[in-house]
Amino acid sequence: DLAFGEFFFKGFMHHSNETFFKNIKLLESSSYLIFRNNKKFFNKYWKIKPNQEIKLSYEENKKKLKDLFKTSIKQHMISDVEIGSFLSGGNDSSTISIYAKKIQKKLKTFTYDFESYVNFEDSESKLAENFAKKNSLKNYSSILSFEDVKDNINEVIKIVETPITSIRLIAFYNLYKLAKQKKIKVILEGLGGDELLGGYKYNWLPGIIDNNKNLNSK
């Protein structure tokens, strides 16, 4: 009941251990659970250190972020099979694809778009197509239709085991199927970049609060 209430009235999902299923709980983020001899052991392998004082300059932080980004791409490109990349034409996926191409020269990229929007010049498929041509990337597009939504929504909900908040998940579902058709088993995605760097306006408020915590006590 709590999970459904917070989902419908607040739009919250996966922020606590409550799920949409009776007697089924979520593990805390960055944690795993081991069952041994009828006992269970929880372990948290990573957490954000609170109240860290930033001592680096803007330029030093920018360089550090770039170095960490490049290192992460190199680590994720270690594979025995061909790797592909989802490409929306935005900063996150475009940057990932460019650095991945430096390691795997013939990089296949995949883009989804919506049938009602595909003909606009600023559609994701058009942006991705232009970016791919400019940077010698092979790009494949999957266009989501109303029929796709009707035919696949139940299957997608079954797979994610929760209500869905956007038909984009169905577009992703089709995109993964397209990647599989092209013999790609490993995909790089740009998830998290907007949350980290404030890519959308709704990401700004948490950053403003964090940067003005001293105002909360007044």
Side-chain angles (χ1 to χ4, degrees):
D1 292 343
L2 177 61
F4 278 103
E6 295 198 329
F7 172 71
F8 284 115
F9 294 112
K10 298 181 180 179
F12 289 175
M13 291 182 69
H14 308 313
H15 67 289
S16 69
N17 68 342
E18 295 296 328
T19 71
F20 299 96
F21 304 96
K22 187 177 180 180
N23 297 326
I24 296 179
K25 303 293 184 181
L26 282 173
L27 281 174
E28 186 179 350
S29 298
S30 308
S31 301
Y32 61 84
L33 171 64
I34 297 176
F35 284 98
R36 184 182 297 128
N37 299 326
N38 294 323
K39 294 181 179 180
K40 54 186 178 182
F41 303 89
F42 292 91
N43 186 51
K44 191 171 183 65
Y45 56 84
W46 182 83
K47 63 180 178 180
I48 297 175
K49 295 180 181 179
N51 302 322
Q52 283 185 298
E53 183 179 353
I54 300 175
K55 298 181 180 179
L56 299 177
S57 67
Y58 172 77
E59 290 300 325
E60 289 172 328
N61 271 306
K62 187 167 71 172
K63 182 181 183 304
K64 184 177 181 180
L65 177 61
K66 185 176 181 180
D67 291 341
L68 289 171
F69 180 85
K70 291 167 66 176
T71 299
S72 179
I73 295 296
K74 288 180 181 178
Q75 291 174 342
H76 282 83
M77 292 298 291
I78 298 173
S79 174
D80 293 329
V81 298
E82 184 180 356
I83 294 176
S85 179
F86 282 175
L87 177 64
S88 69
N91 289 334
D92 299 341
S93 61
S94 298
T95 308
I96 288 172
S97 298
I98 286 297
Y99 277 99
K101 184 178 182 294
K102 293 181 179 180
I103 300 172
Q104 182 180 289
K105 301 301 181 183
K106 295 182 179 179
L107 184 73
K108 294 186 178 76
T109 61
F110 300 86
T111 306
Y112 72 79
D113 210 338
F114 302 100
E115 190 175 51
S116 58
Y117 195 62
V118 68
N119 291 321
F120 289 87
E121 285 303 315
D122 61 344
S123 67
E124 291 198 354
S125 57
K126 288 285 178 58
L127 292 173
E129 181 182 358
N130 292 335
F131 182 85
K133 286 181 179 178
K134 182 178 178 181
N135 294 279
S136 301
L137 296 164
K138 182 65 176 177
N139 184 247
Y140 300 93
S141 293
S142 173
I143 309 302
L144 187 72
S145 67
F146 293 112
E147 286 296 316
D148 289 327
V149 175
K150 180 175 66 70
D151 293 342
N152 293 301
I153 187 169
N154 288 337
E155 180 65 17
V156 170
I157 291 174
K158 180 180 178 181
I159 291 171
V160 300
E161 297 182 334
T162 65
I164 63 174
T165 58
S166 172
I167 61 172
R168 289 181 181 274
L169 270 72
I170 303 172
F172 269 114
Y173 174 70
N174 283 350
L175 203 58
Y176 276 113
K177 290 197 292 186
L178 176 60
K180 184 178 181 180
Q181 291 172 10
K182 301 301 179 181
K183 311 299 182 184
I184 301 296
K185 297 181 178 180
V186 179
I187 286 288
L188 302 180
E189 292 189 43
L191 298 176
D194 290 313
E195 289 76 9
L196 179 65
L197 301 174
Y200 295 105
K201 289 184 178 179
Y202 58 75
N203 299 130
W204 295 358
L205 182 58
I208 293 172
I209 294 173
D210 286 344
N211 291 328
N212 295 277
K213 286 183 176 179
N214 59 315
L215 298 178
N216 295 336
S217 60
K218 295 182 180 180

